Amino acid sequence: MPAWVASSWRERLRRRWLGRLTAPLEAPLPQSRLFLLPTRFGLGWAGLVVVLVLFGINYQNSLAYALAFWLFALGVVTLLRTWRNLLGVRVALRLPQEVFAGNEARLGVTLEGTRPRTALTLRAGGASARADLPEGRGETTLALSAPSRGVQPLPPLRIESRWPLGLVRVMAWLEPGGQLLVYPRPLDEDEPMHRRAGAGLEAGDFAGLRRAVPGDSPARLAWKQWSRTGVLAAKVFSVPPRQQLWLDYDACQGEAERRLSVLCARVLAHHLAGDRYGLRLPGLTLAQGEGARQRRLALEALARFAPPPANPVEGT
């Protein structure tokens, strides 16, 4: 069987399995989606109860019987308390506003319950966090790794509790079903090809005079002009013009990911400078614009871009 066929079947089985086990987000966890597993400490506890019962039977020791039944009753109560600690909890996720490759995606998690809860643990994609609900509500953050750019599905979320004694572990799986958009990692070029501020006249260049109006700063008033003509005027200073330019994929050098990283750094730099810019990618042209919306559209285009296939080597 080809490797890609086996991988596809494994993915289908995993999704079917998760579909039967996972609970929906922002809905109270039902008892049918809670699973109880004994811990090592819990297995040792159960073994101790069995040993005490056998000891009491063999030696007719009432103290061993009493201790065994007390430990058994305490274990049952602990099991119920652990199960109720997770039952009915609602989980909601909050995606980060933006994530760049190589950084962490800090996923906000909000938990709510009808009563206080203690020592809940959340795990997803190798990250873990603990949350308490002292008043029936709590928040925590999961730091997910984002090693590469692109659209990444959110990993399944597991919530569990071992409170109060750690004899059993009650857990539930949640399927976020969302996607995380990871922008390219900004990479500044070695040579300063693009400026960080507006070009042309510097801020503060004198551009002329106008008639003064109430509210003008005394430092901007032309006192010498007033002494000669008797007309009070105010100095006008020009504002640097903004660049209107294109960021072109073909104008960059290096591999595809390096080009996208360079373009990402240029988008951030020109946004800070207040420039008006457009983006040209193979198969996509983003018209010139400015402001936060243009920045978001450009970064999303870089994150979703699929590099063209490399040209085949001649003679192969």
Side-chain angles (χ1 to χ4, degrees):
M1 179 182 294
W4 66 271
V5 175
S7 177
S8 176
W9 273 103
R10 286 196 298 267
E11 182 65 20
R12 288 186 179 182
L13 290 176
R14 187 186 74 87
R15 289 185 176 276
R16 292 184 63 180
W17 179 76
L18 287 176
R20 294 181 178 181
L21 297 182
T22 55
L25 281 175
E26 300 184 9
L29 288 174
Q31 60 182 0
S32 60
R33 290 296 185 267
L34 298 183
F35 301 90
L36 284 169
L37 292 176
T39 62
R40 291 184 179 180
F41 180 58
L43 292 176
W45 186 287
L48 178 60
V49 171
V50 173
V51 170
L52 288 173
V53 170
L54 294 177
F55 181 85
I57 293 174
N58 188 36
Y59 293 99
Q60 294 298 313
N61 191 316
S62 59
L63 182 60
Y65 281 124
L67 183 57
F69 292 148
W70 181 78
L71 291 177
F72 177 77
L74 183 59
V76 172
V77 172
T78 300
L79 185 149
L80 294 176
R81 293 296 302 272
T82 306
W83 178 72
R84 292 186 73 249
N85 192 45
L86 199 58
L87 180 66
V89 173
R90 292 191 300 271
V91 181
L93 300 181
R94 183 179 64 257
L95 297 179
Q97 293 185 352
E98 58 182 25
V99 182
F100 293 91
N103 297 336
E104 291 183 339
R106 303 189 67 82
L107 187 66
V109 184
T110 303
L111 302 101
E112 295 182 355
T114 55
R115 59 183 183 277
R117 312 298 174 102
T118 304
L120 302 181
T121 304
L122 296 105
R123 305 181 189 276
S128 63
R130 172 171 169 159
D132 294 318
L133 286 66
E135 298 180 357
R137 191 178 190 277
E139 294 184 358
T140 187
T141 302
L142 282 171
L144 304 179
S145 61
S148 59
R149 70 162 186 95
V151 180
Q152 300 182 7
L154 292 176
L157 178 66
R158 188 179 74 191
I159 180 172
E160 63 182 47
S161 173
R162 302 188 183 190
W163 182 86
L165 296 182
L167 298 181
V168 294
R169 178 178 58 176
V170 59
M171 64 181 67
W173 282 270
L174 303 168
E175 183 65 36
Q179 294 179 335
L180 190 64
L181 189 61
V182 181
Y183 300 149
R185 182 177 182 177
L187 177 63
D188 291 328
E189 297 170 299
D190 296 334
E191 63 276 7
M193 294 178 59
H194 294 265
R195 58 167 177 76
R196 298 286 182 178
L201 297 174
E202 296 294 334
D205 286 347
F206 180 73
L209 297 174
R210 62 169 174 79
R211 184 176 294 273
V213 297
D216 285 336
S217 172
R220 293 292 184 94
L221 298 179
W223 297 107
K224 293 183 180 180
Q225 180 76 11
W226 174 73
S227 64
R228 291 197 302 267
T229 63
V231 178
L232 188 59
K235 301 176 184 178
V236 177
F237 296 88
S238 61
V239 179
R242 295 174 298 179
Q243 276 194 352
Q244 297 188 18
L245 45 88
W246 287 96
L247 307 181
D248 200 330
Y249 176 90
D250 294 332
C252 299
Q253 298 180 354
E255 299 180 353
E257 294 301 325
R258 185 186 185 279
R259 297 189 186 191
L260 297 175
S261 295
V262 171
L263 291 175
C264 180
R266 293 183 185 177
V267 168
L268 299 178
H270 290 297
H271 172 73
L272 291 177
D275 295 331
R276 184 178 178 85
Y277 59 91
L279 180 65
R280 288 173 177 161
L281 299 173
L284 174 66
T285 299
L286 179 62
Q288 289 184 341
E290 57 187 313
R293 183 177 182 274
Q294 181 72 1
R295 176 183 183 274
R296 176 178 58 82
L297 292 177
L299 292 178
E300 289 184 359
L302 294 175
R304 299 179 183 275
F305 174 69
N311 295 328
V313 180
E314 294 183 0
T316 60

